[in-house]
Every structure is written in structure tokens, then in C-alpha cells.
Amino acid sequence: MIRCAENILLAREAHFPATIADLYDPEKMPDNLRQAHEENDEVLERIYIGRRFKNDTERLEKLFSMYTEMTAKQAGERKKHDNFRQSNQPTNCPCCFHQNSLYRSVK
């Protein structure tokens, strides 16, 4: 991934002083920049699913699936945190440890 990012930056630099708007105009995008992005896409897709996506629909389905999974996990962690906080025992909340230490020393 780092190498892909470097290749994108090097391709952009090769076209200095072109602006980002100029470089990413679909009609005028330089071939080396387009190729650097294609290589980046391939590496990312292989990380996510082990191969290239068949099409944009498959790519979007995977991204939305990952987003749904991530936000559900975050919501579960937030609920667990809120339950600890509502128990009126702040020392039970593992994510508020630094606050708990302060709470105990003041009490």
C-alpha cells in the first residue's frame, strides 16, 4: 500500500504544476497517474476479497457490508459503555479507567 501511495504521489509530481483538478479531470488524466491508481485499486481489492471486484456493484456491496459491520460494533461498544456509566459505579467502566482513578482519589 505504501508503495502504491508513493507511486501516485510521484505521478502527480511528474506533472507539476498541474492542479489536482487538472490531474483528475477524466478527459485529461495522465496515463501514468491513471495506471498508479489502477495498481492501487488492485492491491486494495486483493486485500479486501483476494481478487479484483467484478464491478462497481460488487465493490459497493462489500463497502456497505463493512460499514454496517463497523457501525454495529461501535454501537455495541457505546451501549456497553453507557450501561457501565449508568450503573453508578464509575470504577466498573474499563474505557474510563483514567477518570476512575481520579474519581477514586477524590472520593
Side-chain angles (χ1 to χ4, degrees):
M1 285 305 311
I2 292 171
R3 173 52 83 190
C4 290
E6 288 172 347
N7 288 342
I8 290 169
L9 294 173
L10 289 170
R12 288 180 187 174
E13 186 178 337
H15 299 282
F16 179 82
T19 66
I20 294 292
D22 293 335
L23 292 172
Y24 287 92
D25 179 332
E27 304 290 321
K28 302 177 190 173
M29 187 176 199
D31 291 337
N32 65 335
L33 181 57
R34 188 178 307 277
Q35 181 62 35
H37 275 284
E38 281 294 322
E39 291 169 6
N40 183 70
D41 292 350
E42 182 172 354
V43 169
L44 264 174
E45 291 173 8
R46 290 186 184 283
I47 289 170
Y48 283 129
I49 65 170
R51 60 174 173 76
R52 292 296 306 253
F53 287 105
K54 293 175 189 165
N55 51 44
D56 287 341
T57 301
E58 184 181 29
R59 182 179 296 107
L60 286 172
E61 286 173 353
K62 177 65 175 176
L63 291 173
F64 280 118
S65 171
M66 291 170 59
Y67 177 78
T68 302
E69 184 179 318
M70 179 188 71
T71 55
K73 183 179 177 186
Q74 288 174 343
E77 289 170 357
R78 181 68 191 173
K79 183 174 176 143
K80 189 163 88 172
H81 170 67
D82 290 346
N83 288 341
F84 276 123
R85 300 286 291 168
Q86 290 173 2
S87 70
N88 292 322
Q89 297 178 7
T91 57
N92 287 342
C93 185
C95 62
C96 295
F97 176 76
H98 66 282
Q99 293 171 351
N100 296 338
S101 299
L102 181 61
Y103 176 80
R104 285 193 296 268
S105 67
V106 172
K107 241 181 156 182

